[in-house]
Amino acid sequence: MRLLRLFAALLLTLLPTACGNLNFYSEEEEASLGAQAYAEETGKYPLVTRGNDYEMVQRVGRKIAEASGKPYQWEFKLLKADDVPNAFCLPGGKVAIYTGILPITQNEAGLAAVMGHEVAHATERHGGKRMTQGNIANVLTSALGAGLSLSEMSPDVQQGVMKAFAIGAQVGVLLPYSRDHETEADEIGIRYAIRAGYDPWEAPKLWERMAALSGDGGGPAWLSTHPASLDRAENLKQKIPLYLEQEKGWKPKQLAPSVTGGNR
Ligand SMILES: [Zn+2]
């Protein structure tokens, strides 16, 4: 038993790296949890349903969604919250933009950078991976506390127990992602923005604006889940030329020749 506890403690410390890509959740389960959390979170604010900003959010959202190639039930809501500089995309393609982030994104390409990043979290299924880590951590913590032996349960029961600990509580609307997930979302997000026809050089500029804002202590809410640093801007600056080259020939899936072309 002592050995088991030692093992559990060791796993807890290694969790973020060891389990970064482990995911107990199916895409359907993630989407269902995402939809629940979306209704909850977006219900807290009045919706903006017309006007230039609303049109921009719909336009950018549709283009980024198409660029991701994911057949989600996409939704793009603009929440009237001028004092909340934030944005997120939940599993299953549920996007929310708070009006408070628009002065920071400044233009359509800036919004595309934020949306590309958030959508990449969803398409890479970081939410399910993060919930899985949370589940394992919870189960290990309680196993440590109660002296329970997970190894005595069947794998199915283990997985059920782990899920039960987190469902509903950790869908991850506003929880921070790991640094690996952040970098991945930065890089895939910028590819989406390129495919959607936006200037990718707006992304490093956005990160520089964010970094400048975080200097005064508080900083935007988006920064609590997305620590801004000039390193992020630098990383993107180095990769954008390569991505521009690689994404040159990208075409939306529904325009593939097999769909539109005849076969005579
Ligand atoms: Zn992020």
Side-chain angles (χ1 to χ4, degrees):
M1 184 55 69
R2 195 175 295 162
L3 257 183
L4 183 76
R5 288 187 195 193
L6 193 67
F7 179 65
L10 187 70
L11 259 184
L12 270 178
T13 53
L14 294 176
L15 211 52
T17 35
C19 307
N21 279 313
L22 192 61
N23 194 342
F24 290 158
Y25 295 82
S26 70
E27 211 154 6
E28 290 70 30
E29 286 174 309
E30 282 179 12
S32 149
L33 291 169
Q36 274 174 39
Y38 192 59
E40 251 170 62
E41 183 60 22
T42 59
K44 295 176 187 167
Y45 303 91
L47 291 182
V48 179
T49 55
R50 55 199 288 187
N52 289 344
D53 288 344
Y54 169 78
E55 297 297 337
M56 174 174 69
V57 166
Q58 302 306 309
R59 188 167 56 240
V60 176
R62 277 195 306 269
K63 286 188 194 174
I64 294 288
E66 185 180 46
S68 79
K70 282 279 186 178
Y72 289 152
Q73 299 289 312
W74 293 98
E75 278 190 77
F76 312 98
K77 287 187 175 169
L78 178 59
L79 310 179
K80 180 69 179 163
D82 292 342
D83 54 344
V84 184
N86 212 349
F88 63 79
C89 177
L90 291 174
K94 304 298 188 193
V95 179
I97 305 292
Y98 300 71
T99 51
I101 205 167
L102 299 179
I104 306 171
T105 53
Q106 285 189 4
N107 52 53
E108 195 156 329
L111 179 62
V114 164
M115 252 206 233
H117 176 98
E118 293 303 328
V119 163
H121 276 311
T123 58
E124 295 310 301
R125 304 183 54 199
H126 291 162
K129 290 171 186 172
R130 190 172 50 183
M131 285 191 287
T132 299
Q133 284 184 27
N135 295 357
I136 296 173
N138 284 340
V139 169
L140 288 178
T141 305
S142 56
L144 274 176
L148 281 172
S149 170
L150 265 185
S151 57
E152 286 162 18
M153 305 175 194
S154 73
D156 277 359
V157 172
Q158 282 176 28
Q159 194 165 323
V161 169
M162 289 183 181
K163 274 190 189 180
F165 270 90
I167 279 186
Q170 292 192 44
V171 180
V173 176
L174 298 167
L175 294 175
Y177 289 102
S178 71
R179 213 170 61 184
D180 287 352
H181 287 172
E182 282 306 316
T183 304
E184 197 170 43
D186 279 352
E187 296 178 0
I188 292 172
I190 203 81
R191 286 181 184 271
Y192 291 166
I194 291 170
R195 292 176 191 174
Y198 291 109
D199 177 8
W201 295 103
E202 276 300 319
K205 285 188 207 160
L206 175 84
W207 282 115
E208 282 163 2
R209 287 199 291 276
M210 291 275 185
L213 283 170
S214 66
D216 60 6
W222 203 59
L223 291 177
S224 66
T225 46
H226 298 85
S229 73
L230 296 174
D231 293 352
R232 288 180 90 150
E234 276 313 308
N235 177 43
L236 285 179
K237 280 183 193 169
Q238 282 175 19
K239 292 190 168 148
I240 284 172
L242 173 70
Y243 293 164
L244 277 170
E245 189 59 35
Q246 288 178 339
E247 299 296 342
K248 245 180 200 163
W250 182 84
K251 296 266 187 308
K253 271 182 188 158
Q254 55 267 47
L255 298 181
S258 58
V259 179
T260 55
N263 192 12
R264 281 182 264 181

